[in-house]
Amino acid sequence: MAAPRAAVELIADKRQGLRLPPEEIRQLVDGYLRDQVSEAQMAAWLMAVCWRGLSKPELQALTLSMAESGSRLQLSRLPGPTVDKHSTGGVGDKVSLVLVPLMAALGCYVPQLSGRALGPTGGTLDKLESIPGVRCDLSSSEIVRVVREAGCVIAAASPELAPADRRLYALRDSTATVHSLPLIASSIVSKKVAEGVQCLLFDVKAGSGALMPDLHSARRLAATLTELASGFQIRSSAMVTAMDQPLGRAVGNALEVQEALDTLSGSGPHDLRELVLAEARELLRLCGQSADPSAALDGGAARERFAAMVRAQGGDPELPLPLGVRLATLKAPRTGFLARLDAGAIGLAAWRLGGGRRAPSDPVDPVAGIMCLSKEGEAVDRGEPLLELWGRPGQDPRSALLALQHAVGVEDSPPQPLPMVLQAPASA
Ligand code: URA
């Protein structure tokens, strides 16, 4: 048998656009984890992938190597299907906080491994951790315990699950190689393989507040994700949803949890509720079921599952959420219809208020955020408050206000309403 080629040869091949056999991809990932492939070499290979892409067998091999770099959750012998959804992230996206307990209330088991915020789109774990006492850094056995007790969990991937993704993601973050379609897809799917879910829905967001700014790249990512997941025997589908304005009205950690709780109580903003119900119906379809999820949302069963999950993760669902103070208000410049509520700018402003972090070790402020008092298409009067900036008493909101300079647009006539679901769920 020929001796394995050196890492530098594999980097050179990818730089020239050649395809690597699956065993060489595995060699690279395993060598990196054992520190036989240096950070510089891995970063060079990742940059070559950004330019040259990966073939389907290469992508499958990279994903498998990352999934097999650690252990898998032991979720066998549960009396219902294991399901999850993954959102590529968006401003005000608190769907998981409602959908995860809703699916548990419908008899599914949901072991959601989620992320923290790095950049303006927020992170589900930061949101959940604004509930006093909640812990999201759980070991694999704790994750399994919470799923068995509450039917669902929202936690960070424990160090044993897909550790290669954890290291590669940090390296990508510091080498401008996050925005590569095959690297995004392998990172996401490797964690879902480690979760061991049977049915999976991808919510790929497109717009100014999303990882994928345009519909075309969002569609490509959606197709890549479902094709990749099907290679691991996961029943999956992907939908593309709009992220040009924030989802719901709240942006920021505790503010979003409050909005999720309202939605779990049968109220909450219309767009959030509709998206949660559309995603729940699709997940039920993937599991071969056809129940109506709205009864579990309106009847309190989903809220009970949420409280059980919070308790099982160390939190107290009865305690009040941390609340900041209103620092500033942005008013309508004229009378008309709100035609633009730029998710990207609002996400940036919430991040500047302290809702997100600059470096992975930074803390986030649970009270920081923005409330959108009006949404696109609504009639507004000159001087009417449109956005409220929330933070700590005495905090200076000027840099956040600067980010919001061009965030809103008011026109004489209402804008053409755009659907929230830009591409209906589709499987590979
Ligand atoms: N989410 C992930 O888990 N990985 C990526 O690379 C991008 C988004």
Side-chain angles (χ1 to χ4, degrees):
M1 204 172 70
R5 294 195 299 152
V8 66
E9 295 176 88
L10 310 188
I11 299 164
D13 275 9
K14 189 42 65 189
R15 189 196 64 212
Q16 288 172 264
L18 300 179
R19 293 176 175 196
L20 301 180
E23 54 278 13
E24 290 196 330
I25 303 260
R26 175 177 286 275
Q27 176 197 325
L28 204 59
V29 174
D30 289 353
Y32 177 59
L33 284 181
R34 282 198 228 103
D35 295 324
Q36 292 157 351
V37 171
S38 71
E39 297 287 325
Q41 287 177 315
M42 202 64 204
W45 188 77
L46 292 171
M47 187 56 87
V49 171
C50 281
W51 286 99
R52 297 297 194 171
L54 289 177
S55 67
K56 284 178 190 165
E58 285 177 313
L59 182 56
Q60 190 85 17
L62 176 63
T63 310
L64 184 63
S65 308
M66 285 158 64
E68 289 188 341
S69 64
S71 55
R72 295 192 190 195
L73 287 182
Q74 296 304 317
L75 288 171
S76 53
R77 292 196 301 280
L78 287 170
T82 47
V83 308
D84 195 8
K85 76 104 197 190
H86 179 90
S87 161
T88 55
V91 176
D93 183 0
K94 70 282 292 173
V95 167
S96 285
L97 298 176
V98 186
L99 181 70
V100 166
L102 174 59
M103 294 313 297
L106 291 164
C108 299
Y109 288 84
V110 196
Q112 182 166 96
L113 303 181
S114 198
R116 290 202 158 70
L118 193 63
T121 56
T124 301
L125 302 183
D126 295 316
K127 294 170 196 178
L128 193 60
E129 281 177 347
S130 52
I131 299 175
V134 164
R135 275 191 316 117
C136 292
D137 285 313
L138 306 176
S139 66
S140 291
S141 57
E142 283 177 308
I143 292 173
V144 172
R145 174 187 58 78
V146 177
V147 173
R148 289 190 190 279
E149 260 173 54
C152 55
V153 69
I154 298 178
S158 62
E160 312 93 86
L161 298 171
D165 174 62
R166 190 175 275 241
R167 262 188 78 183
L168 283 171
Y169 192 81
L171 184 60
R172 286 166 58 207
D173 196 44
S174 61
T175 55
T177 50
V178 167
H179 288 255
S180 148
L181 195 143
L183 295 181
I184 293 171
S186 57
S187 163
I188 293 171
V189 175
S190 66
K191 284 175 289 212
K192 298 301 163 188
V193 173
E195 264 182 33
V197 285
Q198 295 161 329
C199 302
L200 177 58
L201 174 64
F202 297 105
D203 175 7
V204 180
K205 305 241 171 251
S208 75
L211 193 62
M212 297 286 145
D214 61 276
L215 188 54
H216 177 70
S217 51
R219 282 197 167 128
R220 278 183 54 223
L221 178 57
T224 306
L225 286 167
T226 48
E227 191 174 315
L228 189 54
S230 72
F232 291 96
Q233 283 71 54
I234 299 174
R235 274 197 301 282
S236 75
S237 65
M239 59 207 286
V240 178
T241 62
M243 188 28 74
D244 280 317
Q245 64 171 332
L247 185 60
R249 291 176 185 267
V251 178
N253 298 308
L255 293 174
E256 290 191 43
V257 172
Q258 186 55 57
E259 193 165 77
L261 287 169
D262 295 343
T263 309
L264 282 163
S265 302
S267 55
H270 178 74
D271 58 348
L272 174 61
R273 178 184 162 87
E274 287 312 303
L275 187 56
V276 166
L277 290 175
E279 295 195 8
R281 278 191 287 269
E282 177 58 12
L283 273 171
L284 287 170
R285 190 192 67 77
L286 286 171
C287 302
Q289 296 177 20
S290 60
D292 173 13
S294 58
L297 198 55
D298 299 333
R303 189 165 175 146
E304 273 171 35
R305 285 296 97 214
F306 183 83
M309 178 182 80
V310 164
R311 266 188 233 104
Q313 293 188 225
D316 185 344
E318 307 301 329
L319 286 180
L321 290 165
L323 184 65
V325 294
R326 201 183 298 115
L327 301 171
T329 305
L330 197 94
K331 298 191 171 135
R334 50 181 291 222
T335 295
F337 293 88
L338 191 59
R340 187 177 70 255
L341 188 63
D342 186 341
I346 292 170
L348 180 63
W351 178 76
R352 286 187 180 172
L353 287 169
R357 49 175 69 79
R358 280 161 213 271
S361 56
D362 287 349
V364 295
D365 189 343
V367 306
I370 294 182
M371 285 303 298
C372 306
L373 305 181
S374 294
K375 297 278 305 235
E376 284 178 7
E378 292 177 4
V380 296
D381 287 327
R382 183 167 184 268
E384 180 182 326
L386 296 182
L387 297 175
E388 287 176 350
L389 282 66
W390 286 76
R392 299 272 161 191
Q395 185 179 344
D396 183 354
R398 276 178 300 183
S399 68
L401 281 168
L402 212 58
L404 295 172
Q405 248 178 346
H406 306 292
V408 299
V410 179
E411 304 287 345
D412 289 335
S413 45
Q416 191 73 19
L418 285 176
M420 190 168 43
V421 178
L422 303 172
Q423 179 182 285
S427 297

